[in-house]
Amino acid sequence: MKGNEFDIKLEVAGRTYSVPVRRGNEEEEFLYREAAKRVEQHLIQYRQYFAKSLGDAQLLTMVAIHLARDVLRLEAENDLETYARKIRLWMDQLDDYLKK
């Protein structure tokens, strides 16, 4: 570990993980802690849904897929090209309507 980093402890699925964080970067530490909380929340939901028919490794994989899907959705929503395509489509529809 470098002098400008320290470890924070995060607990997920009953296990503790050490994650290095840059000193003075409170936002990064906050995001790691919130991410661990969100993983734990989803894990609890999946455990309830699957009624212990799946192990933690399988459930954590499902949580990872769920969160990755959320990231992809947010990336798509924030993609300017997506907005440009929607605007072009709306403009085309408006032009067609006005021509009638």
Side-chain angles (χ1 to χ4, degrees):
M1 180 168 55
K2 298 177 182 173
N4 63 342
E5 293 181 341
F6 68 100
D7 283 345
I8 60 171
K9 306 291 185 212
L10 303 174
E11 187 172 327
V12 176
R15 298 188 69 179
T16 302
Y17 299 90
S18 293
V19 177
V21 177
R22 288 175 282 157
R23 291 191 188 282
N25 193 339
E26 292 83 17
E27 180 182 7
E28 185 176 7
E29 181 179 353
F30 172 79
L31 290 173
Y32 273 117
R33 292 190 188 283
E34 287 300 310
K37 286 179 191 175
R38 188 154 308 170
V39 168
E40 190 68 27
Q41 290 168 348
H42 285 293
L43 184 59
I44 290 167
Q45 290 173 343
Y46 277 109
R47 275 188 186 132
Q48 291 171 347
Y49 182 77
F50 288 102
K52 299 186 181 190
S53 63
L54 299 177
D56 278 350
Q58 292 168 309
L59 293 170
L60 285 168
T61 299
M62 294 180 73
V63 169
I65 292 168
H66 180 115
L67 294 173
R69 183 211 57 195
D70 290 350
V71 167
L72 291 171
R73 181 180 291 145
L74 287 172
E75 286 175 351
E77 288 175 3
N78 290 320
D79 179 14
L80 293 179
E81 184 57 35
T82 300
Y83 290 120
R85 279 192 300 268
K86 287 181 182 178
I87 290 170
R88 283 193 296 271
L89 175 66
W90 293 336
M91 288 175 62
D92 291 344
Q93 290 172 345
L94 182 59
D95 285 344
D96 289 344
Y97 178 78
L98 292 174
K99 288 177 184 175
K100 292 181 181 181

